Structure formats: structure tokens, C-alpha cells
């Protein structure tokens, strides 16, 4: 088992609700529905306690810097004054530089919110699933109407402030044309694009799993388009795979074998593992700890955190790509009856994608050495 390493990224669920009703959202549509009973927003009293626990963790491990990620639900639902107070609280209490980032659906990102985010230096990413048809297929409002126009306007506004423009997150739908989706994202000039595999597992599989390797086909098409381009954005998944193939250490959860350094704090102060585990079963992400009764050092030894450092299953251990794939995202390994001791539900897709990228790199290295 990998030795514990201190948390460096703290994901704060600052608001538990969302103004969209995305049908692929892993928070609201999966097995774990505990969000219904949590505080709607993280109070400043709770945030103060979180900040003090983070400060203790920083001092105990002499961390040079940490990252706070404002998440939800939809984080902008807390309102600009609350957001400003929360960020200032962390920066006043934590004895190290605090980088703050936020992932938003963009619907509430207006000029006033943008001004505050620039003032606070909050690097902001927006979720966009491609063009209008692709985006509105899943990211709809509660009344069923699409959100694309509002989100597109927000991204264009955000792009006017490159110092905080973090990039775009796109959840993959293999029914959408991959090149059209990628080029629809390029029109927003993002510095980074994150492609997210739909959350699921062996007991609650993502769409099309078991029908060949559709996610690999989709991603390979995008990769070839991206790899042939120049001056285009970082695509984090591809960049991470290339980094790992060249012997680098993993920096993105879901790839490589480096232990995770991320922890989640819910609106009520509960300390949890990744909320992607909501696809497994009720309470899969729970540690039983809160910031009111436990430190983050305590959380390092919580069973749910320790489990993420467990050795890979025998199938993954025997795979030549294990150092790159790392077994895939922990949440994607779950199967009722055997828990998380399995390959990723995306195993075949990941093998094909990584092998394709490796072949392209090998061919290019061979060409350069001639």
C-alpha cells in the first residue's frame, strides 16, 4: 500500500443544490442521495472551522501551498458576498499561499460575479458539452429548457479575463460527433479542455459499455485531431497519458499510481472521499468524520481514504499499462459483491486509448531518430 501523503487539494462543497437538472450528473442522479439532507450552503462558521483544520494540516506537514476548489452543486448559488467572505477567510487563516479555483455550470456567471472572481484571483472552469445540441441534450434547466445560450455567453465573458480562465469541462456523450464537439469547444479559446468519462461502474454501467470500445473510438478521434493541431489547448487527459508514458508522475486522479492528495468537505463540514463514489452506493464516500471533531490527519487514516491506496486488483497488476492507467478512476471500479477490487468499467476503452497514444509517440520518436 502506498504511504499516505498530506492533502494538498481541498474540494469545498459550498452549495449543495444546483440550478440545472443535468441528467448525467453524478451528484443528483446516482445511488447516494444524502445531498437532500445536507445544509444547502456552507456557512461562514463551518468554513471558518474548515480553514482552521486546513491551517493545522499545512503547519503539520510544512506544505508550501494548497488549493481550495469551490464546488457544488453550483457554487455561484452562494452569492458573490458570501463567496468573497469565504475566500478571504481561507487566505487569512491558512499560513501558506492558497490557490482558489472553481468549477461552475456558468449560468450565474455575470459581470458582477466575474469582477469578484478577478479581484479574488479565483481560477474558473465552466462545464460545456459541445455545441448547442450536444450541450442541451443533457445540461437542461429544471423546467426542461436548454442552458447553452446562457453558458456560452458566460464563457465568452470569462474569456475576456485570461488570468482566471481555467478552461472547459466536457462530459463525453459518444452519440455526439467527436470532432464537432471538440471544435465547438475550441471556439471559446479555452486554455485547457477536460474530457470527463460519464460516471458509472460495473453495477451501474455508463451508456454503451459492453458494446465494443466506444469511448476509446471517440477519444482517439479527438486525440488525432488534437495531436495534429498546433497552438491548440491542453487536453488534460491526453497530456497526462503522454506524461505518464514518458515516465512522469501522475498529477490527475484516475491515471497513474500516485496516491490521491484530494479530500472533499461537504456543506455541513463532513469530510468525504470523492463524490464520484455516489454511483456506487449510499454513503460510499463517507469517512464518518467532520471538521468539528476530526483533523485532516485523522482523515488520512480513514478507511475510505486508505482504500484508495490499496494495491490494484490482480488483473490490473498483470497489465503492462498499469503504471499509466493506474486502474482508472477508483469510482469506476465498483461492482456489487466485490467492492472496488476490480479493473475500471472503462478498462477496455482505456487500454485501447493508451495503446493508440503510445503507438503515435513511438512512431514519432522513431521518425526523429532517423
Amino acid at each position: 500500500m502506498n504511504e499516505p501523503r498530506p492533502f494538498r487539494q481541498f474540494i469545498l462543497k459550498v452549495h449543495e443544490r444546483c440550478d440545472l437538472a443535468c441528467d448525467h450528473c453524478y451528484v443528483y442522479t446516482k445511488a447516494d442521495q444524502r445531498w437532500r439532507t445536507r445544509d444547502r450552503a456552507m456557512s461562514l462558521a463551518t468554513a471558518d472551522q474548515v480553514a482552521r483544520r486546513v491551517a493545522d494540516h499545512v503547519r503539520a506537514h510544512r506544505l508550501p501551498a494548497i488549493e481550495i476548489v469551490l464546488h457544488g452543486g453550483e457554487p455561484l448559488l452562494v452569492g458573490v458576498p458570501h463567496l468573497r467572505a469565504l475566500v478571504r477567510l481561507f487566505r487569512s487563516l491558512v499560513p501558506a499561499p492558497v490557490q482558489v479555483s472553481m468549477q461552475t455550470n456558468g449560468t450565474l456567471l455575470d459581470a458582477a460575479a466575474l469582477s469578484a472572481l478577478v479581484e479574488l484571483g479565483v481560477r474558473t472552469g465552466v462545464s460545456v458539452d459541445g455545441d448547442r445540441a450536444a450541450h442541451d441534450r443533457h445540461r437542461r434547466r429544471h423546467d426542461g429548457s436548454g442552458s447553452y445560450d446562457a453558458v456560452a455567453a458566460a464563457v465568452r465573458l470569462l474569456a475576456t479575463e485570461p488570468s482566471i480562465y481555467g478552461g472547459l469541462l466536457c462530459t463525453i456523450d459518444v452519440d455526439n460527433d467527436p470532432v464537432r464537439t471538440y471544435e465547438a469547444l475550441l471556439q471559446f479559446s479555452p486554455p485547457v479542455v477536460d474530457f470527463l468519462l460519464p460516471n458509472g461502474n460495473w453495477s451501474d454501467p455508463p451508456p454503451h459499455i459492453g458494446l465494443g470500445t466506444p469511448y476509446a473510438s471517440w477519444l482517439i478521434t479527438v486525440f488525432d485531431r488534437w495531436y495534429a493541431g498546433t497552438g491548440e489547448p491542453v487536453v488534460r487527459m491526453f497530456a497526462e497519458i503522454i506524461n505518464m508514458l514518458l515516465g512522469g508522475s501522475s498529477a490527475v486522479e484516475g491515471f497513474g499510481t500516485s496516491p490521491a492528495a484530494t479530500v472533499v468537505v461537504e456543506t455541513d463540514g463532513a469530510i468525504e472521499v470523492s463524490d464520484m463514489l455516489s454511483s456506487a452506493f449510499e454513503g460510499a464516500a463517507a469517512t464518518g468524520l467532520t471538521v468539528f471533531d476530526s483533523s485532516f490527519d485523522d482523515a488520512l487514516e480513514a478507511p475510505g481514504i486508505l482504500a484508495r491506496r490499496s494495491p490494484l486488483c490482480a488483473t490490473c497488476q498483470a497489465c503492462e499499462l498499469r503504471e499509466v492507467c493506474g486502474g482508472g478512476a477508483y469510482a469506476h471500479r465498483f461492482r456489487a459483491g466485490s467492492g472496488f477490487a476490480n479493473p475500471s468499467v472503462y478498462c477496455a476503452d482505456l487500454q485501447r486509448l493508451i495503446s493508440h497514444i503510445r503507438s503515435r509517440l513511438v512512431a514519432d520518436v522513431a521518425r526523429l531518430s532517423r
Side-chain angles (χ1 to χ4, degrees):
M1 181 181 292
N2 292 314
E3 290 299 316
R5 63 173 178 172
F7 299 118
R8 296 173 183 272
Q9 184 184 71
F10 300 82
I11 299 175
L12 268 58
K13 294 302 196 78
V14 296
H15 205 285
E16 202 69 41
R17 304 296 191 269
C18 189
D19 57 337
L20 295 185
C22 306
D23 61 14
H24 55 23
C25 180
Y26 55 77
V27 175
Y28 304 112
T29 67
K30 296 297 182 179
D32 196 335
Q33 293 291 301
R34 291 175 303 143
W35 62 270
R36 296 178 182 273
T37 61
R38 295 195 190 280
D39 297 345
R40 293 180 69 87
M42 180 178 285
S43 69
L44 290 181
T46 298
D48 181 89
Q49 182 64 16
V50 179
R52 292 179 188 279
R53 293 295 193 187
V54 172
D56 290 343
H57 200 66
V58 166
R59 282 188 285 264
H61 298 277
R62 299 180 181 179
L63 299 179
I66 56 104
E67 181 183 10
I68 298 295
V69 181
L70 308 177
H71 215 280
E74 170 48 47
L76 285 176
L77 281 172
V78 299
V80 169
H82 192 86
L83 189 73
R84 183 181 282 112
L86 192 150
V87 172
R88 287 174 175 170
L89 182 62
F90 275 85
R91 290 195 169 135
S92 68
L93 291 176
V94 176
V98 177
Q99 177 185 345
V100 183
S101 61
M102 180 176 69
Q103 186 66 34
T104 175
N105 64 33
T107 59
L108 300 175
L109 183 55
D110 57 15
L114 182 67
S115 177
L117 295 172
V118 171
E119 171 198 332
L120 297 167
V122 177
R123 194 159 180 82
T124 301
V126 180
S127 299
V128 186
D129 283 352
D131 60 17
R132 178 181 283 100
H135 181 92
D136 283 349
R137 181 175 297 121
H138 300 289
R139 296 189 184 273
R140 297 186 293 270
R141 299 181 186 275
H142 289 273
D143 64 3
S145 61
S147 62
Y148 179 81
D149 289 339
V151 174
V155 178
R156 293 188 186 101
L157 182 65
L158 178 61
T160 65
E161 296 289 352
S163 66
I164 65 161
Y165 186 14
L168 304 178
L169 184 150
C170 173
T171 299
I172 298 168
D173 181 342
V174 296
D175 289 331
N176 293 329
D177 181 85
V179 172
R180 184 181 304 126
T181 298
Y182 178 61
E183 292 181 346
L185 300 177
L186 291 185
Q187 71 171 311
F188 297 114
S189 303
V192 177
V193 170
D194 275 311
F195 287 112
L196 183 68
L197 291 165
N199 199 14
N201 54 60
W202 293 104
S203 295
D204 181 16
H208 305 292
I209 286 294
L211 303 173
T213 52
Y215 292 91
S217 296
W218 199 96
L219 284 164
I220 285 169
T221 301
V222 177
F223 173 81
D224 288 344
R225 165 68 175 80
W226 173 77
Y227 196 65
T230 57
E232 292 184 351
V234 172
V235 175
R236 205 183 308 270
M237 178 187 292
F238 302 152
E240 184 68 2
I241 291 172
I242 291 171
N243 171 55
M244 297 297 298
L245 286 169
L246 296 177
S249 298
S250 58
V252 176
E253 189 170 357
F255 289 98
T257 56
S258 298
T262 299
V263 68
V264 176
V265 183
E266 294 285 351
T267 53
D268 57 4
I271 300 172
E272 304 235 329
V273 192
S274 169
D275 59 1
M276 286 180 64
L277 296 179
S278 61
S279 63
F281 54 88
E282 182 94 2
T287 66
L289 307 178
T290 79
V291 294
F292 300 105
D293 56 34
S294 302
S295 68
F296 285 112
D297 273 18
D298 294 330
L300 284 173
E301 302 300 325
I305 301 293
L306 289 172
R308 292 193 297 176
R309 303 200 300 270
S310 299
L312 298 174
C313 70
T315 300
C316 293
Q317 291 281 12
C319 179
E320 64 171 346
L321 299 176
R322 66 184 180 277
E323 295 299 323
V324 179
C325 171
Y330 186 71
H332 296 164
R333 305 175 200 172
F334 179 77
R335 187 193 295 269
S338 58
F340 296 92
N342 305 289
S344 168
V345 72
Y346 289 106
C347 178
D349 291 277
L350 291 172
Q351 284 192 355
R352 184 176 163 217
L353 172 64
I354 294 168
S355 297
H356 176 82
I357 294 174
R358 180 175 62 182
S359 295
R360 291 295 302 269
L361 291 179
V362 168
D364 283 352
V365 170
R367 185 163 51 251
L368 289 172
S369 63
R370 288 173 189 160

